[in-house]
Amino acid sequence: MLSFSRARSQGRNTRPLGGGMEYLEPKRKSNVMGKLILVVSLTALCIIMLKHAPSFTSPTAFSRSEEGVTHVLVTGGAGYIGSHAALRLLKDSYRVTIVDNLSRGNLGAVKVLQGLFPEAGRLQFIYADLGDAKAVDKIFSENAFDAVMHFAAVAYVGESTLDPLKYYHNITSNTLVVLEAVARHKVKKLIYSSTCATYGEPDKMPIVEVTPQVPINPYGKAKKMAEDMILDFSKNSDMAVMILRYFNVIGSDPEGRLGEAPKPELREHGRISGACFDAARGVIPGLQVKGTDYKTGDGTCVRDYIDVTDLVDAHVKALEKAKPRNVGIYNVGTGKGRSVKEFVEACKKATGVDIKVDFLPRRPGDYAEVYSDPAKILRDLNWSARYTNLQESLEVAWKWQKTHPHGYASS
Ligand SMILES: O=c1ccn([C@@H]2O[C@H](COP(=O)(O)OP(=O)(O)O[C@H]3OC[C@@H](O)[C@H](O)[C@H]3O)[C@@H](O)[C@H]2O)c(=O)[nH]1
C-alpha cells in the first residue's frame, strides 16, 4: 500500500479495484504485463487471506491492555473446553486472545466466536504451537495479558498409554514454555487446567483436594508434573494461581453455538461422550464399553460428569477471586459418581437411539472409580454445579451434534 500512495503523490493515476485494493496506472509500457500479473496475484492473495480470516487476524488492536478491561490469553481456545471458556469470557466483556495450533481444536469454533464478537479489540486468534518458545515469547511481548487460562493439551487417557512422550511433551514441556513466558512478562494470574487423573486410584471416595496424587497413566502424570512446576514457581512469585482439577467434562453451549468436535482420526482414543454420539449417529457400528470387571456397583468404571457450562463458570469465578501470592487448588465436579453403564443409558435416552453396545476388556490406564468432593470450591469460590442432570446435559450436546454431523465443517 505504501507504494500506491507514493505513486499517487508522484502524480500517477490509480483507480479502485475493490476489496480495498487499487490499480496503479503503469509508468512504462514495457512493464504492463508484469504489473498486471502482480496485481492479479495480490488480489488472489487478498481473497485467500479473507477466506481464512481468523488465521490472519491483525494483532494491532491488542498491543496493550486497556484500563479496566482484563485481557485473557486462552491457550487451546479452539478446543472443546477452551472455546466454551472464550465464549463465556467474551460474554462477560473480557478481551480474549486465543492461541491454538489446531492439532485438536477447530478453526470453526474460532470463526463462530468471531462472528459473535466482531468488534475490533475483543477477540484475537493466533495460530501458534506452545512448543515454539520464541513464538510464545513474541506473543507475550506484543500483548499485555492480565491473565492466562492454560487449556491447551492433548487429553486422551488411552492415547497417553500408547504415546506417553507426546503427553510429556505437549502437557509438561509446553506448560514450562507458557510458565516461563508468564514469569518473564509478569502476568498476574494463571488458571491451570488440571485433572482428576492426577489422583490416580485413591482408596477413599469422594476425592478431596488433599487426597494423595498418585497418577496411574502418562496423562495424569504429565498433568501432575505441570502442577508441580507451577506450584514450585509460585513459591517465589507474586502471581495468583488457580489449579482446577476437572472431572469428566460433558455437554455443550445451551444456545447451540459451540459443541464438542473431536478429530475423527482420533476416534479410537475418544472419550465416552463422543463415542456415544458417534454410535447414535451411526458413524461407528456401536459403543464399546471398555471393562466390565471393575470393583464397582455394575462392574464398569465410575466417573463424575461435569457440564462444560458449569466448568467455565468455575474458571470465571477462579479468575475473579485469584489473589496475588496465593494458590488455590480446586476439584471441579458434581460430587456424584455414575457408571459407564448408567452413562450409556442416559445417552440412549438423550439421543432417542437404541445404541448397540459391545462389552470389551479394560482400557489400559483406566482407574475404577473417581468422583469429587466439591465442598472446597463451594466454600471458597461460591461455585457449585447447576447442570447435574446427566441426560439433560447430553440432550443439549446431542442437539448440536445433530445439527453438526461433520462438526464445525457442517457450518
Ligand atoms: O469408547 C469408550 C470411551 C470410554 N469408555 C470408558 O468410559 C470411561 C470414561 O472414559 P473417558 O475417555 O470418557 O474419560 P477418562 O475418565 O478416561 O478421562 C477424562 O476425564 C478426565 C479428563 O481430565 C480427561 O481429559 C478425560 O479424557 C472410562 O471407563 C472408559 O474406559 C468406554 O467404555 N468406551
Side-chain angles (χ1 to χ4, degrees):
M1 294 309 276
L2 204 72
S3 61
F4 282 112
S5 42
R6 195 179 299 138
R8 250 199 312 270
S9 71
Q10 288 166 0
R12 290 171 59 198
N13 290 336
T14 64
R15 61 185 155 84
L17 269 183
M21 294 202 62
E22 286 176 303
Y23 174 65
L24 173 62
E25 211 49 57
K27 207 172 173 184
R28 281 175 302 179
K29 267 191 180 161
S30 58
N31 273 347
V32 169
M33 276 315 285
K35 294 246 168 82
L36 238 155
I37 288 167
L38 182 71
V39 169
V40 170
S41 314
L42 281 173
T43 310
L45 186 68
C46 280
I47 290 167
I48 292 167
M49 285 174 78
L50 282 172
K51 210 171 156 213
H52 301 278
S55 0
F56 294 95
T57 306
S58 158
T60 48
F62 285 81
S63 52
R64 301 240 59 85
S65 90
E66 278 165 19
E67 211 178 309
V69 181
T70 304
H71 185 181
V72 185
L73 169 64
V74 178
T75 73
Y80 166 47
I81 301 170
S83 60
H84 281 80
L87 173 60
R88 171 63 194 271
L89 290 168
L90 288 161
K91 199 170 134 258
D92 287 8
S93 299
Y94 287 93
R95 165 177 294 195
V96 171
T97 289
I98 289 174
V99 170
D100 204 299
N101 69 0
L102 302 178
S103 63
R104 303 270 154 121
N106 293 285
L107 191 58
V110 178
K111 286 186 176 172
V112 168
L113 295 171
Q114 291 204 318
L116 291 167
F117 300 94
E119 316 89 57
R122 293 300 311 282
L123 169 64
Q124 171 183 218
F125 171 67
I126 301 172
Y127 172 80
D129 190 301
L130 297 180
D132 183 345
K134 268 194 184 158
V136 171
D137 193 67
K138 188 166 180 283
I139 292 166
F140 277 76
S141 300
E142 290 175 352
N143 294 277
F145 299 125
D146 300 296
V148 172
M149 285 191 181
H150 181 27
F151 294 96
V154 288
Y156 293 134
V157 165
E159 184 189 34
S160 81
T161 65
L162 298 170
D163 194 354
L165 298 188
K166 174 183 283 198
Y167 277 69
Y168 293 117
H169 188 97
N170 181 283
I171 295 174
T172 317
S173 170
N174 287 3
T175 298
L176 180 59
V177 171
V178 171
L179 197 53
E180 283 172 337
V182 158
R184 205 175 298 123
H185 296 275
K186 300 193 169 32
V187 177
K188 292 197 181 75
K189 295 182 181 184
L190 174 67
I191 318 294
Y192 183 61
S193 304
S194 190
T195 166
C196 62
T198 60
Y199 293 112
E201 205 151 21
D203 299 331
K204 263 175 74 181
M205 285 295 137
I207 293 174
V208 287
E209 286 78 358
V210 291
T211 295
Q213 289 173 290
V214 191
I216 62 163
N217 52 53
Y219 171 62
K221 289 177 191 173
K223 284 277 182 182
K224 165 85 169 64
M225 286 182 191
E227 275 196 17
D228 286 344
M229 291 188 307
I230 295 168
L231 292 175
D232 282 342
F233 168 71
S234 71
K235 283 175 190 152
N236 293 304
S237 157
D238 288 342
M239 189 172 66
V241 175
M242 290 285 191
I243 291 177
L244 303 182
R245 295 182 185 146
Y246 315 162
F247 284 68
N248 288 59
V249 189
I250 53 160
S252 60
D253 171 41
E255 291 181 45
R257 296 163 292 188
L258 298 170
E260 185 179 8
K263 301 276 175 191
E265 63 271 23
L266 295 167
R267 194 166 273 139
E268 63 178 300
H269 306 301
R271 300 187 315 121
I272 186 82
S273 47
C276 268
F277 293 139
D278 281 347
R281 268 205 309 261
V283 177
I284 54 173
L287 178 79
Q288 301 179 331
V289 169
K290 295 165 183 170
T292 53
D293 59 348
Y294 287 97
K295 287 194 181 118
T296 57
D298 63 19
T300 61
C301 291
V302 170
R303 297 288 183 268
D304 181 344
Y305 293 97
I306 175 78
D307 194 289
V308 70
T309 300
D310 281 331
L311 179 66
V312 300
D313 186 48
H315 281 76
V316 172
K317 288 206 156 78
L319 178 64
E320 285 166 356
K321 301 224 168 163
K323 287 195 204 83
R325 292 174 296 284
N326 257 280
V327 178
I329 300 178
Y330 297 103
N331 287 338
V332 191
T334 63
K336 197 167 175 210
R338 274 109 163 187
S339 74
V340 170
K341 278 187 179 165
E342 281 179 81
F343 186 97
V344 174
E345 285 314 306
C347 190
K348 281 184 183 178
K349 285 190 185 136
T351 58
V353 180
D354 189 17
I355 298 161
K356 178 175 170 288
V357 180
D358 295 314
F359 296 99
L360 268 72
R362 294 179 178 199
R363 185 177 72 174
D366 269 345
Y367 29 82
E369 182 176 49
V370 290
Y371 57 92
S372 70
D373 178 342
K376 188 182 174 199
I377 191 166
L378 173 63
R379 191 187 66 225
D380 290 2
L381 305 188
N382 194 27
W383 176 93
S384 61
R386 287 174 302 155
Y387 298 89
T388 53
N389 184 317
L390 181 56
Q391 189 185 320
E392 279 174 19
S393 288
L394 294 176
E395 278 167 10
V396 170
W398 177 238
K399 245 190 206 170
W400 190 87
Q401 297 289 331
K402 269 201 305 189
T403 51
H404 297 76
H406 307 291
Y408 286 97
S410 314
S411 340

